[in-house]
Amino acid sequence: MMPKKARDGDDTAGLLAYLYGPGKRDEHVDPHMVAAWDPFVDDPARSPTMTISDLALMLDAPVYTLRGAKPLKHVYHVAVRNPPEDRILSDEEWARVAAEMMHAAGIAEKGDDQACRWVAVRHADDHIHIVATRAREDGRQPDISWDVVKMQARARGFEVEFGLRQLTHGDGTARKWAKTGEKEKAERRGLREPVRETLQRAVREAAAVATSDADFFARLGDAGLRVKERIAPDGNVTGYSVAMPGDRDGEQTPVWFPGARLAPDLSLPRVRERWDSPVETPVVAPAEMWRVAEDKVRAAAAQLGAEGLHKGAGDVAALGDLIVVAAIVSPRLVRSQIKDAAYEFERASRAPGDRALEGQARKLYRESNQLLAQSAAAVGRNDTVAALGFLLALVQAVEAARRWHDAQQHRAQAEASGKAGRLLREAVEVTAGASAAREYRPRPKRSTSRPGTGQRPAAAASERPMAGVVQQAIPEHARVILADPAWPALRKELIEVERAGEDPSEVLATVAARRELDSAESIAEVLSWRLAGWRKQRGSTADASAGTRPTSAAGGGTGRSAAPTRKAAPAPRRRPPGDEPRKGPKRAR
């Protein structure tokens, strides 16, 4: 549950009209009042005699009786929102939330009949808006000092009481989220994401692999960003800002974002910490790059946090950079999962408090980082088999980070580590399925054709009972898989395998034997991931084969080219004998 206080305003009627209206894009559904300072106040949405203007006048009435100067911004506005994964609260539950938030903020404490007036409006399933007037009935102004902190504390209690996702108090490590105006601007321009998020990712990738100020700024320029350095009078660079080409405000001025406004660890001093303690990159053969990196990551995972709190904070920061680089150089088959894992682990890489940068685990992570960054071009980064061991080591490292954060009671960071770990496990299983597909050699099948009838067509995929396929392929796990909530997803993957012309029972047995299944939290989910990797690998192999296949048979076959054919020019009209045009002398070659 997230209480968010908006800026104070001076137009009560205008705010209420927006809350009760359709919204900017007709997103408001059934706007209505769930609670108010007086239980007998009529709801403009449900009462024929109460209007929005009437309600605004009732809320503002105490303002005109204030003693002394009246506040310039007397409208107090708070939105209380639940994450999408939380259950939908009833109007009665939201009414309790609104009353408790006003009590915690000091707007309307319980039992105070001279408190401020307020109303709570609901126009969506997941949140409410509370509008109050900063004027008490007795002519005084309320004491709202530390109101946000107090409302946050009360929200933590509701999360436990209502069984909602438990969030944490702000510790200064959260990323800087895009504002509403930035999101709307991205939509107008047809961008996939707000500019702030694009800049965050580009700057983080440059910082993860840079080795000096010059290298960092050069990488930002190579990424296509505009860069502006802040130079002190003594000539030293003290900061920087970045902007996207073409991103301008209403006055056609470039929109610059200082590094600190992108994320807490992207300010120039924090970025420089990455190369203040340089590491030596080992020289290894390209074919050995993944294996050497795997060994270093496993050794670092075993030592993470063992040298104390501050060095542990430096260790997880270096691990975050390593995942960012791994996402850049990872095999294309699993690159999206690893990029998502890097995004989720970002919060986990920023531990609250001070950090030291001399830990042994951090040194090993930085060495692996530089090794991947420098060797990726020479190693053929799409080698999924070679990368599998490294991905397994990365899962081990992220799990070590989660345990360390748990021990320090860093709840937000531990949760972020858990999400990143799940995405990396998915990448591991997809990679395992792909490697199984590369080595797979199907057994020859006997023909099913009958004399006089031709070859019997295969049964439709939806007609074959996939439960029987599971019982045939892996009988020791069949009972658990068929009762797993992820069984429908696995069944869908098996159907797709059969539609591709392969035996789903044989394929399932092959991917199941690739790695052990007993330690999996959901065997059906793990097998779904492996089959997804299998299908991707087989599909890419088929595409590659099609690309090298001749367009037609040597003896006048019917092979077709994948490329569109041009319309042939009309053949010349045959002339009757004796009507041929005279030809000049042949041109010398």
PDB file of all heavy atoms in Angstrom, residues 8-40:
ATOM      1  N   ASP A   8       0.049  20.629  -2.681  1.00  0.00           N
ATOM      2  CA  ASP A   8      -1.132  21.354  -2.200  1.00  0.00           C
ATOM      3  C   ASP A   8      -1.661  22.262  -3.307  1.00  0.00           C
ATOM      4  O   ASP A   8      -0.897  22.793  -4.135  1.00  0.00           O
ATOM      5  CB  ASP A   8      -0.778  22.188  -0.967  1.00  0.00           C
ATOM      6  CG  ASP A   8      -0.449  21.317   0.234  1.00  0.00           C
ATOM      7  OD1 ASP A   8      -0.877  20.151   0.246  1.00  0.00           O
ATOM      8  OD2 ASP A   8       0.240  21.808   1.153  1.00  0.00           O
ATOM      9  N   GLY A   9      -2.984  22.442  -3.332  1.00  0.00           N
ATOM     10  CA  GLY A   9      -3.610  23.277  -4.353  1.00  0.00           C
ATOM     11  C   GLY A   9      -4.567  24.281  -3.731  1.00  0.00           C
ATOM     12  O   GLY A   9      -4.646  24.425  -2.507  1.00  0.00           O
ATOM     13  N   ASP A  10      -5.291  24.981  -4.602  1.00  0.00           N
ATOM     14  CA  ASP A  10      -6.233  26.001  -4.120  1.00  0.00           C
ATOM     15  C   ASP A  10      -7.588  25.895  -4.807  1.00  0.00           C
ATOM     16  O   ASP A  10      -8.437  26.774  -4.660  1.00  0.00           O
ATOM     17  CB  ASP A  10      -5.659  27.409  -4.334  1.00  0.00           C
ATOM     18  CG  ASP A  10      -5.324  27.675  -5.802  1.00  0.00           C
ATOM     19  OD1 ASP A  10      -5.610  26.797  -6.647  1.00  0.00           O
ATOM     20  OD2 ASP A  10      -4.767  28.744  -6.092  1.00  0.00           O
ATOM     21  N   ASP A  11      -7.814  24.812  -5.564  1.00  0.00           N
ATOM     22  CA  ASP A  11      -9.057  24.665  -6.313  1.00  0.00           C
ATOM     23  C   ASP A  11      -9.733  23.358  -5.921  1.00  0.00           C
ATOM     24  O   ASP A  11      -9.556  22.324  -6.585  1.00  0.00           O
ATOM     25  CB  ASP A  11      -8.758  24.705  -7.814  1.00  0.00           C
ATOM     26  CG  ASP A  11     -10.018  24.718  -8.664  1.00  0.00           C
ATOM     27  OD1 ASP A  11     -11.125  24.748  -8.090  1.00  0.00           O
ATOM     28  OD2 ASP A  11      -9.897  24.679  -9.909  1.00  0.00           O
ATOM     29  N   THR A  12     -10.511  23.386  -4.870  1.00  0.00           N
ATOM     30  CA  THR A  12     -11.194  22.178  -4.405  1.00  0.00           C
ATOM     31  C   THR A  12     -12.198  21.683  -5.436  1.00  0.00           C
ATOM     32  O   THR A  12     -12.262  20.481  -5.731  1.00  0.00           O
ATOM     33  CB  THR A  12     -11.906  22.465  -3.073  1.00  0.00           C
ATOM     34  OG1 THR A  12     -10.957  22.974  -2.131  1.00  0.00           O
ATOM     35  CG2 THR A  12     -12.529  21.205  -2.518  1.00  0.00           C
ATOM     36  N   ALA A  13     -12.987  22.594  -5.979  1.00  0.00           N
ATOM     37  CA  ALA A  13     -14.002  22.202  -6.953  1.00  0.00           C
ATOM     38  C   ALA A  13     -13.368  21.584  -8.200  1.00  0.00           C
ATOM     39  O   ALA A  13     -13.875  20.592  -8.745  1.00  0.00           O
ATOM     40  CB  ALA A  13     -14.860  23.412  -7.334  1.00  0.00           C
ATOM     41  N   GLY A  14     -12.254  22.145  -8.666  1.00  0.00           N
ATOM     42  CA  GLY A  14     -11.601  21.605  -9.854  1.00  0.00           C
ATOM     43  C   GLY A  14     -11.060  20.204  -9.628  1.00  0.00           C
ATOM     44  O   GLY A  14     -11.173  19.335 -10.498  1.00  0.00           O
ATOM     45  N   LEU A  15     -10.461  19.975  -8.462  1.00  0.00           N
ATOM     46  CA  LEU A  15      -9.931  18.649  -8.162  1.00  0.00           C
ATOM     47  C   LEU A  15     -11.053  17.620  -8.062  1.00  0.00           C
ATOM     48  O   LEU A  15     -10.952  16.518  -8.600  1.00  0.00           O
ATOM     49  CB  LEU A  15      -9.117  18.699  -6.862  1.00  0.00           C
ATOM     50  CG  LEU A  15      -8.550  17.367  -6.368  1.00  0.00           C
ATOM     51  CD1 LEU A  15      -7.679  16.708  -7.431  1.00  0.00           C
ATOM     52  CD2 LEU A  15      -7.757  17.571  -5.071  1.00  0.00           C
ATOM     53  N   LEU A  16     -12.140  17.986  -7.387  1.00  0.00           N
ATOM     54  CA  LEU A  16     -13.265  17.054  -7.272  1.00  0.00           C
ATOM     55  C   LEU A  16     -13.878  16.759  -8.642  1.00  0.00           C
ATOM     56  O   LEU A  16     -14.276  15.616  -8.931  1.00  0.00           O
ATOM     57  CB  LEU A  16     -14.332  17.629  -6.339  1.00  0.00           C
ATOM     58  CG  LEU A  16     -13.965  17.683  -4.851  1.00  0.00           C
ATOM     59  CD1 LEU A  16     -15.062  18.380  -4.067  1.00  0.00           C
ATOM     60  CD2 LEU A  16     -13.730  16.284  -4.288  1.00  0.00           C
ATOM     61  N   ALA A  17     -13.963  17.771  -9.492  1.00  0.00           N
ATOM     62  CA  ALA A  17     -14.522  17.551 -10.828  1.00  0.00           C
ATOM     63  C   ALA A  17     -13.676  16.554 -11.612  1.00  0.00           C
ATOM     64  O   ALA A  17     -14.203  15.721 -12.362  1.00  0.00           O
ATOM     65  CB  ALA A  17     -14.617  18.883 -11.575  1.00  0.00           C
ATOM     66  N   TYR A  18     -12.351  16.622 -11.449  1.00  0.00           N
ATOM     67  CA  TYR A  18     -11.485  15.661 -12.126  1.00  0.00           C
ATOM     68  C   TYR A  18     -11.683  14.252 -11.560  1.00  0.00           C
ATOM     69  O   TYR A  18     -11.788  13.270 -12.307  1.00  0.00           O
ATOM     70  CB  TYR A  18     -10.024  16.070 -11.989  1.00  0.00           C
ATOM     71  CG  TYR A  18      -9.066  14.988 -12.415  1.00  0.00           C
ATOM     72  CD1 TYR A  18      -8.874  14.697 -13.760  1.00  0.00           C
ATOM     73  CD2 TYR A  18      -8.363  14.234 -11.465  1.00  0.00           C
ATOM     74  CE1 TYR A  18      -8.008  13.676 -14.156  1.00  0.00           C
ATOM     75  CE2 TYR A  18      -7.500  13.229 -11.846  1.00  0.00           C
ATOM     76  CZ  TYR A  18      -7.328  12.955 -13.191  1.00  0.00           C
ATOM     77  OH  TYR A  18      -6.490  11.940 -13.567  1.00  0.00           O
ATOM     78  N   LEU A  19     -11.731  14.146 -10.214  1.00  0.00           N
ATOM     79  CA  LEU A  19     -11.853  12.825  -9.594  1.00  0.00           C
ATOM     80  C   LEU A  19     -13.181  12.159  -9.938  1.00  0.00           C
ATOM     81  O   LEU A  19     -13.249  10.935 -10.112  1.00  0.00           O
ATOM     82  CB  LEU A  19     -11.707  12.943  -8.075  1.00  0.00           C
ATOM     83  CG  LEU A  19     -10.352  13.455  -7.566  1.00  0.00           C
ATOM     84  CD1 LEU A  19     -10.352  13.552  -6.053  1.00  0.00           C
ATOM     85  CD2 LEU A  19      -9.215  12.549  -8.044  1.00  0.00           C
ATOM     86  N   TYR A  20     -14.239  12.938 -10.044  1.00  0.00           N
ATOM     87  CA  TYR A  20     -15.555  12.390 -10.375  1.00  0.00           C
ATOM     88  C   TYR A  20     -15.767  12.297 -11.884  1.00  0.00           C
ATOM     89  O   TYR A  20     -16.770  11.725 -12.335  1.00  0.00           O
ATOM     90  CB  TYR A  20     -16.656  13.261  -9.766  1.00  0.00           C
ATOM     91  CG  TYR A  20     -16.992  12.908  -8.333  1.00  0.00           C
ATOM     92  CD1 TYR A  20     -16.502  13.664  -7.280  1.00  0.00           C
ATOM     93  CD2 TYR A  20     -17.791  11.824  -8.036  1.00  0.00           C
ATOM     94  CE1 TYR A  20     -16.817  13.356  -5.963  1.00  0.00           C
ATOM     95  CE2 TYR A  20     -18.114  11.485  -6.733  1.00  0.00           C
ATOM     96  CZ  TYR A  20     -17.613  12.264  -5.695  1.00  0.00           C
ATOM     97  OH  TYR A  20     -17.925  11.941  -4.398  1.00  0.00           O
ATOM     98  N   GLY A  21     -14.870  12.859 -12.664  1.00  0.00           N
ATOM     99  CA  GLY A  21     -15.029  12.860 -14.108  1.00  0.00           C
ATOM    100  C   GLY A  21     -14.498  11.597 -14.758  1.00  0.00           C
ATOM    101  O   GLY A  21     -14.101  10.642 -14.090  1.00  0.00           O
ATOM    102  N   PRO A  22     -14.441  11.592 -16.097  1.00  0.00           N
ATOM    103  CA  PRO A  22     -14.014  10.385 -16.831  1.00  0.00           C
ATOM    104  C   PRO A  22     -12.514  10.151 -16.820  1.00  0.00           C
ATOM    105  O   PRO A  22     -12.054   9.092 -17.223  1.00  0.00           O
ATOM    106  CB  PRO A  22     -14.516  10.660 -18.258  1.00  0.00           C
ATOM    107  CG  PRO A  22     -14.493  12.149 -18.373  1.00  0.00           C
ATOM    108  CD  PRO A  22     -14.870  12.667 -17.013  1.00  0.00           C
ATOM    109  N   GLY A  23     -11.723  11.137 -16.385  1.00  0.00           N
ATOM    110  CA  GLY A  23     -10.275  11.018 -16.459  1.00  0.00           C
ATOM    111  C   GLY A  23      -9.748  11.541 -17.781  1.00  0.00           C
ATOM    112  O   GLY A  23     -10.499  11.950 -18.661  1.00  0.00           O
ATOM    113  N   LYS A  24      -8.437  11.515 -17.928  1.00  0.00           N
ATOM    114  CA  LYS A  24      -7.828  12.043 -19.153  1.00  0.00           C
ATOM    115  C   LYS A  24      -8.061  11.136 -20.345  1.00  0.00           C
ATOM    116  O   LYS A  24      -8.101  11.584 -21.488  1.00  0.00           O
ATOM    117  CB  LYS A  24      -6.326  12.239 -18.934  1.00  0.00           C
ATOM    118  CG  LYS A  24      -5.989  13.305 -17.893  1.00  0.00           C
ATOM    119  CD  LYS A  24      -4.483  13.482 -17.748  1.00  0.00           C
ATOM    120  CE  LYS A  24      -4.163  14.573 -16.739  1.00  0.00           C
ATOM    121  NZ  LYS A  24      -2.693  14.755 -16.563  1.00  0.00           N
ATOM    122  N   ARG A  25      -8.214   9.830 -20.090  1.00  0.00           N
ATOM    123  CA  ARG A  25      -8.423   8.875 -21.187  1.00  0.00           C
ATOM    124  C   ARG A  25      -9.572   7.917 -20.850  1.00  0.00           C
ATOM    125  O   ARG A  25      -9.511   6.721 -21.159  1.00  0.00           O
ATOM    126  CB  ARG A  25      -7.142   8.086 -21.458  1.00  0.00           C
ATOM    127  CG  ARG A  25      -5.986   8.931 -21.950  1.00  0.00           C
ATOM    128  CD  ARG A  25      -4.719   8.116 -22.105  1.00  0.00           C
ATOM    129  NE  ARG A  25      -3.601   8.931 -22.558  1.00  0.00           N
ATOM    130  CZ  ARG A  25      -2.875   9.705 -21.771  1.00  0.00           C
ATOM    131  NH1 ARG A  25      -3.154   9.766 -20.487  1.00  0.00           N
ATOM    132  NH2 ARG A  25      -1.877  10.420 -22.251  1.00  0.00           N
ATOM    133  N   ASP A  26     -10.585   8.436 -20.212  1.00  0.00           N
ATOM    134  CA  ASP A  26     -11.748   7.633 -19.824  1.00  0.00           C
ATOM    135  C   ASP A  26     -11.346   6.448 -18.950  1.00  0.00           C
ATOM    136  O   ASP A  26     -11.949   5.380 -19.016  1.00  0.00           O
ATOM    137  CB  ASP A  26     -12.506   7.124 -21.068  1.00  0.00           C
ATOM    138  CG  ASP A  26     -13.103   8.257 -21.882  1.00  0.00           C
ATOM    139  OD1 ASP A  26     -13.508   9.263 -21.271  1.00  0.00           O
ATOM    140  OD2 ASP A  26     -13.167   8.141 -23.115  1.00  0.00           O
ATOM    141  N   GLU A  27     -10.313   6.651 -18.115  1.00  0.00           N
ATOM    142  CA  GLU A  27      -9.849   5.561 -17.276  1.00  0.00           C
ATOM    143  C   GLU A  27     -10.586   5.477 -15.942  1.00  0.00           C
ATOM    144  O   GLU A  27     -10.464   4.484 -15.227  1.00  0.00           O
ATOM    145  CB  GLU A  27      -8.340   5.688 -17.015  1.00  0.00           C
ATOM    146  CG  GLU A  27      -7.937   6.869 -16.120  1.00  0.00           C
ATOM    147  CD  GLU A  27      -7.715   8.154 -16.872  1.00  0.00           C
ATOM    148  OE1 GLU A  27      -8.225   8.282 -17.991  1.00  0.00           O
ATOM    149  OE2 GLU A  27      -7.034   9.036 -16.326  1.00  0.00           O
ATOM    150  N   HIS A  28     -11.356   6.519 -15.591  1.00  0.00           N
ATOM    151  CA  HIS A  28     -12.093   6.498 -14.332  1.00  0.00           C
ATOM    152  C   HIS A  28     -13.372   5.672 -14.486  1.00  0.00           C
ATOM    153  O   HIS A  28     -14.158   5.900 -15.408  1.00  0.00           O
ATOM    154  CB  HIS A  28     -12.442   7.919 -13.893  1.00  0.00           C
ATOM    155  CG  HIS A  28     -11.252   8.752 -13.558  1.00  0.00           C
ATOM    156  ND1 HIS A  28     -11.325  10.086 -13.226  1.00  0.00           N
ATOM    157  CD2 HIS A  28      -9.914   8.439 -13.505  1.00  0.00           C
ATOM    158  CE1 HIS A  28     -10.108  10.551 -12.979  1.00  0.00           C
ATOM    159  NE2 HIS A  28      -9.245   9.569 -13.155  1.00  0.00           N
ATOM    160  N   VAL A  29     -13.547   4.706 -13.594  1.00  0.00           N
ATOM    161  CA  VAL A  29     -14.691   3.793 -13.652  1.00  0.00           C
ATOM    162  C   VAL A  29     -15.509   3.939 -12.366  1.00  0.00           C
ATOM    163  O   VAL A  29     -14.967   3.793 -11.269  1.00  0.00           O
ATOM    164  CB  VAL A  29     -14.224   2.330 -13.824  1.00  0.00           C
ATOM    165  CG1 VAL A  29     -15.416   1.389 -13.850  1.00  0.00           C
ATOM    166  CG2 VAL A  29     -13.400   2.179 -15.089  1.00  0.00           C
ATOM    167  N   ASP A  30     -16.791   4.245 -12.520  1.00  0.00           N
ATOM    168  CA  ASP A  30     -17.721   4.353 -11.391  1.00  0.00           C
ATOM    169  C   ASP A  30     -17.163   5.236 -10.265  1.00  0.00           C
ATOM    170  O   ASP A  30     -16.963   4.777  -9.136  1.00  0.00           O
ATOM    171  CB  ASP A  30     -18.028   2.954 -10.848  1.00  0.00           C
ATOM    172  CG  ASP A  30     -19.094   2.991  -9.748  1.00  0.00           C
ATOM    173  OD1 ASP A  30     -19.913   3.941  -9.738  1.00  0.00           O
ATOM    174  OD2 ASP A  30     -19.100   2.080  -8.900  1.00  0.00           O
ATOM    175  N   PRO A  31     -16.890   6.516 -10.518  1.00  0.00           N
ATOM    176  CA  PRO A  31     -16.412   7.390  -9.427  1.00  0.00           C
ATOM    177  C   PRO A  31     -17.487   7.540  -8.357  1.00  0.00           C
ATOM    178  O   PRO A  31     -18.645   7.833  -8.662  1.00  0.00           O
ATOM    179  CB  PRO A  31     -16.143   8.726 -10.151  1.00  0.00           C
ATOM    180  CG  PRO A  31     -16.109   8.400 -11.608  1.00  0.00           C
ATOM    181  CD  PRO A  31     -17.006   7.237 -11.798  1.00  0.00           C
ATOM    182  N   HIS A  32     -17.090   7.343  -7.101  1.00  0.00           N
ATOM    183  CA  HIS A  32     -18.045   7.483  -6.003  1.00  0.00           C
ATOM    184  C   HIS A  32     -17.300   7.702  -4.699  1.00  0.00           C
ATOM    185  O   HIS A  32     -16.105   7.405  -4.586  1.00  0.00           O
ATOM    186  CB  HIS A  32     -18.953   6.255  -5.883  1.00  0.00           C
ATOM    187  CG  HIS A  32     -18.199   4.978  -5.613  1.00  0.00           C
ATOM    188  ND1 HIS A  32     -17.550   4.271  -6.601  1.00  0.00           N
ATOM    189  CD2 HIS A  32     -17.987   4.285  -4.449  1.00  0.00           C
ATOM    190  CE1 HIS A  32     -16.982   3.201  -6.072  1.00  0.00           C
ATOM    191  NE2 HIS A  32     -17.229   3.187  -4.773  1.00  0.00           N
ATOM    192  N   MET A  33     -17.987   8.209  -3.712  1.00  0.00           N
ATOM    193  CA  MET A  33     -17.404   8.489  -2.406  1.00  0.00           C
ATOM    194  C   MET A  33     -17.454   7.231  -1.544  1.00  0.00           C
ATOM    195  O   MET A  33     -18.474   6.543  -1.491  1.00  0.00           O
ATOM    196  CB  MET A  33     -18.181   9.625  -1.732  1.00  0.00           C
ATOM    197  CG  MET A  33     -17.599  10.080  -0.398  1.00  0.00           C
ATOM    198  SD  MET A  33     -18.711  11.231   0.453  1.00  0.00           S
ATOM    199  CE  MET A  33     -18.843  12.548  -0.761  1.00  0.00           C
ATOM    200  N   VAL A  34     -16.343   6.930  -0.865  1.00  0.00           N
ATOM    201  CA  VAL A  34     -16.318   5.773   0.034  1.00  0.00           C
ATOM    202  C   VAL A  34     -16.297   6.194   1.496  1.00  0.00           C
ATOM    203  O   VAL A  34     -16.614   5.387   2.382  1.00  0.00           O
ATOM    204  CB  VAL A  34     -15.110   4.857  -0.259  1.00  0.00           C
ATOM    205  CG1 VAL A  34     -15.223   4.257  -1.648  1.00  0.00           C
ATOM    206  CG2 VAL A  34     -13.795   5.605  -0.107  1.00  0.00           C
ATOM    207  N   ALA A  35     -15.922   7.449   1.792  1.00  0.00           N
ATOM    208  CA  ALA A  35     -15.873   7.909   3.183  1.00  0.00           C
ATOM    209  C   ALA A  35     -15.787   9.428   3.185  1.00  0.00           C
ATOM    210  O   ALA A  35     -15.414  10.043   2.184  1.00  0.00           O
ATOM    211  CB  ALA A  35     -14.686   7.302   3.925  1.00  0.00           C
ATOM    212  N   ALA A  36     -16.140  10.029   4.328  1.00  0.00           N
ATOM    213  CA  ALA A  36     -16.066  11.480   4.485  1.00  0.00           C
ATOM    214  C   ALA A  36     -15.959  11.805   5.963  1.00  0.00           C
ATOM    215  O   ALA A  36     -16.121  10.938   6.825  1.00  0.00           O
ATOM    216  CB  ALA A  36     -17.288  12.160   3.867  1.00  0.00           C
ATOM    217  N   TRP A  37     -15.650  13.080   6.254  1.00  0.00           N
ATOM    218  CA  TRP A  37     -15.516  13.498   7.651  1.00  0.00           C
ATOM    219  C   TRP A  37     -16.833  13.333   8.415  1.00  0.00           C
ATOM    220  O   TRP A  37     -16.846  13.130   9.619  1.00  0.00           O
ATOM    221  CB  TRP A  37     -15.042  14.939   7.703  1.00  0.00           C
ATOM    222  CG  TRP A  37     -16.125  15.982   7.515  1.00  0.00           C
ATOM    223  CD1 TRP A  37     -16.797  16.647   8.501  1.00  0.00           C
ATOM    224  CD2 TRP A  37     -16.686  16.449   6.280  1.00  0.00           C
ATOM    225  NE1 TRP A  37     -17.724  17.516   7.966  1.00  0.00           N
ATOM    226  CE2 TRP A  37     -17.661  17.408   6.599  1.00  0.00           C
ATOM    227  CE3 TRP A  37     -16.445  16.166   4.939  1.00  0.00           C
ATOM    228  CZ2 TRP A  37     -18.400  18.078   5.629  1.00  0.00           C
ATOM    229  CZ3 TRP A  37     -17.173  16.829   3.988  1.00  0.00           C
ATOM    230  CH2 TRP A  37     -18.133  17.771   4.322  1.00  0.00           C
ATOM    231  N   ASP A  38     -17.942  13.406   7.705  1.00  0.00           N
ATOM    232  CA  ASP A  38     -19.266  13.241   8.292  1.00  0.00           C
ATOM    233  C   ASP A  38     -19.969  12.120   7.540  1.00  0.00           C
ATOM    234  O   ASP A  38     -20.137  12.182   6.319  1.00  0.00           O
ATOM    235  CB  ASP A  38     -20.061  14.542   8.153  1.00  0.00           C
ATOM    236  CG  ASP A  38     -21.412  14.502   8.867  1.00  0.00           C
ATOM    237  OD1 ASP A  38     -21.926  13.378   9.075  1.00  0.00           O
ATOM    238  OD2 ASP A  38     -21.939  15.566   9.198  1.00  0.00           O
ATOM    239  N   PRO A  39     -20.400  11.054   8.231  1.00  0.00           N
ATOM    240  CA  PRO A  39     -21.013   9.922   7.524  1.00  0.00           C
ATOM    241  C   PRO A  39     -22.323  10.267   6.835  1.00  0.00           C
ATOM    242  O   PRO A  39     -22.811   9.477   6.022  1.00  0.00           O
ATOM    243  CB  PRO A  39     -21.217   8.886   8.633  1.00  0.00           C
ATOM    244  CG  PRO A  39     -21.227   9.663   9.902  1.00  0.00           C
ATOM    245  CD  PRO A  39     -20.306  10.811   9.679  1.00  0.00           C
ATOM    246  N   PHE A  40     -22.892  11.414   7.147  1.00  0.00           N
ATOM    247  CA  PHE A  40     -24.178  11.782   6.552  1.00  0.00           C
ATOM    248  C   PHE A  40     -24.037  12.705   5.341  1.00  0.00           C
ATOM    249  O   PHE A  40     -25.043  13.189   4.811  1.00  0.00           O
ATOM    250  CB  PHE A  40     -25.064  12.450   7.613  1.00  0.00           C
ATOM    251  CG  PHE A  40     -25.395  11.548   8.757  1.00  0.00           C
ATOM    252  CD1 PHE A  40     -24.754  11.700   9.983  1.00  0.00           C
ATOM    253  CD2 PHE A  40     -26.307  10.522   8.614  1.00  0.00           C
ATOM    254  CE1 PHE A  40     -25.032  10.865  11.048  1.00  0.00           C
ATOM    255  CE2 PHE A  40     -26.593   9.679   9.680  1.00  0.00           C
ATOM    256  CZ  PHE A  40     -25.965   9.843  10.896  1.00  0.00           C
TER     257      PHE A  40
END
